[in-house]
Structures are given as structure tokens and as C-alpha cells.
Amino acid sequence: MIKGKSLIGLIFILVGIVFVSIPLYNEWQQSKGVSALEGALASLEVDPLNGSVQELETQWSKEELENVMTLDIPSIDLEQYVLDETTEENLAIALTQVSENQTPGEGNFSIAGHRGYRGDRHFRQLSNVSDGDEVRLISEGKTYIYEVNSISIVEPTQLDVLDDSEEAEITLITCTMSGEQRLIVKGKLVEVIEESQTV
């Protein structure tokens, strides 16, 4: 009888270790991917004589690296890379642009991200954003500043939040804590700052 209880206890311990290990492994994988992306971005060297960018041996093409954006939300201490294509691989390490044909500062620019397991990675803290908070998207030498004006929870099938709009806005999308619905944060464009203005 004691052996049976010990065996059951051991099984519960092993199952617990597996459940704890999965998010830690995923976080380690994500951290590894982010480090690789940062290394690739840091390796983008411009030849001062002709202004060309050297070809790199990474999982990302030169064009993909040149299109990497940064999303900054000061109120929740978020600063994350935004990759220009939504794939499972890209979502595992960064935020992603939902539609390829969208351009920052024009119509509805949508960004998706996982909630993340721990800490402040991905969109884990997005639910703490408030109306009026500032969202900054840095892309190709410009900083697009948006002001949050709408926060809502929608069903995964409610895709109209991605529709283009007449006004320039940003849409941030992630899962709710349960994973059954989507948290949508929208902001209107209030200012565009050229890189030369920020120096």
C-alpha cells in the first residue's frame, strides 16, 4: 500500500515538473530567438563608401531585417520588436505585423502578439494600458505616436477590428488570460516625428 502511494506521489511530482518546464522551455526558446534577432540587427553594417548593407548569414533576409520595427508603450514598460510577417516562428520571438499591405501612419496598422508566459515579454501587460496612453511605433527613421482611444474584448471570429480605416490608427491584438477571446487596443495617430527631429 505504501509503495502504491509513493508511486502515485512520484507520478504527480513528475507531471508537475513537466508542467513547470514547458513554459520555462518556451521562454528559453523565445529568449534565444530574440538574441539571434538582436545579433542579426546589430550586424547590419552599412558600407560608408557606397551606403550598401552587407549580406548576412541569418534566418532572416536583409530585407526582413531592414523592415524590423519597434513598438514602445511607456506606460507598461514595453519595448518589443515588430516583424513584418505573421508566422508561428515570428510570433514566438516578437510581435508581428498582421497584414503585409499595411503601412504605419496610413489607415489601420495592426500588430499581433502572444500574451507570453511570464514577465513583460510580448503583450503580457497589454491589458494594463489605459485610454490616453501613448503608443510609439518606430519604423524606417520615423516615430509614429498614437494615443489609445479604445480598449475592448472581442471573440476570435470578430475580424472587423483589422479592417482598414480612413483615419490613421494602430490596432494591438492579443489573447485574453483564458485564451478564449481577444484583447483589442486601438489608438489614433497624433504625431509623426522624423529621426532628424529626435536628435
Side-chain angles (χ1 to χ4, degrees), residues 96-99 102 108-112 161-162 170-173:
T96 62
Q97 178 178 336
V98 175
S99 299
Q102 294 178 334
N108 183 12
F109 191 81
S110 305
I111 297 174
V161 295
L162 303 175
I170 196 165
T171 301
L172 311 177
I173 307 161

Side-chain angles (χ1 to χ4, degrees), residues 12-160:
F12 278 123
I13 288 170
L14 291 173
V15 168
I17 290 171
V18 168
F19 278 120
V20 168
S21 299
I22 290 171
L24 292 175
Y25 174 77
N26 287 337
E27 186 174 332
W28 174 74
Q29 284 289 92
Q30 189 244 353
S31 180
K32 208 167 96 174
V34 170
S35 294
L37 178 59
E38 287 173 343
L41 288 168
S43 299
L44 273 180
E45 295 179 11
V46 178
D47 185 331
L49 297 177
N50 62 18
S52 66
V53 177
Q54 295 176 1
E55 286 291 339
L56 305 169
E57 298 216 11
T58 69
Q59 68 188 76
W60 298 279
S61 70
K62 180 177 73 170
E63 291 75 23
E64 288 173 317
L65 291 171
E66 289 173 338
N67 290 331
V68 171
M69 297 165 274
T70 303
L71 185 74
D72 179 22
I73 307 177
S75 65
I76 58 170
D77 295 322
L78 179 139
E79 187 171 348
Q80 296 277 318
Y81 291 119
V82 180
L83 301 177
D84 67 354
E85 183 182 5
T86 297
T87 64
E88 281 304 316
E89 295 80 14
N90 285 350
L91 276 170
I93 61 169
L95 305 175
T96 62
Q97 178 178 336
V98 175
S99 299
E100 292 179 24
N101 61 350
Q102 294 178 334
T103 303
E106 298 177 15
N108 183 12
F109 191 81
S110 305
I111 297 174
H114 288 308
R115 272 189 69 83
Y117 290 98
R118 301 186 311 148
D120 297 327
R121 292 195 175 149
H122 300 293
F123 274 156
R124 180 153 179 83
Q125 303 298 328
L126 190 62
S127 59
N128 295 327
V129 168
S130 302
D131 279 340
D133 283 357
E134 190 174 274
V135 175
R136 302 174 191 153
L137 180 65
I138 298 97
S139 174
E140 298 181 351
K142 294 181 180 178
T143 300
Y144 299 86
I145 301 175
Y146 299 87
E147 183 181 292
V148 173
N149 63 354
S150 170
I151 302 166
S152 58
I153 305 289
V154 302
E155 297 302 318
T157 54
Q158 193 173 330
L159 300 178
D160 62 313

Side-chain angles (χ1 to χ4, degrees), residues 1-16:
M1 189 72 170
I2 292 174
K3 287 184 179 179
K5 286 183 178 179
S6 296
L7 182 61
I8 291 171
L10 183 60
I11 290 170
F12 278 123
I13 288 170
L14 291 173
V15 168

Side-chain angles (χ1 to χ4, degrees), residues 179-197:
E180 295 177 4
Q181 295 173 303
R182 302 294 175 260
L183 170 66
I184 307 297
V185 174
K186 284 186 170 279
K188 62 178 179 179
L189 183 67
V190 293
E191 186 178 3
V192 180
I193 300 174
E194 300 277 346
E195 195 172 84
S196 59
Q197 293 178 278

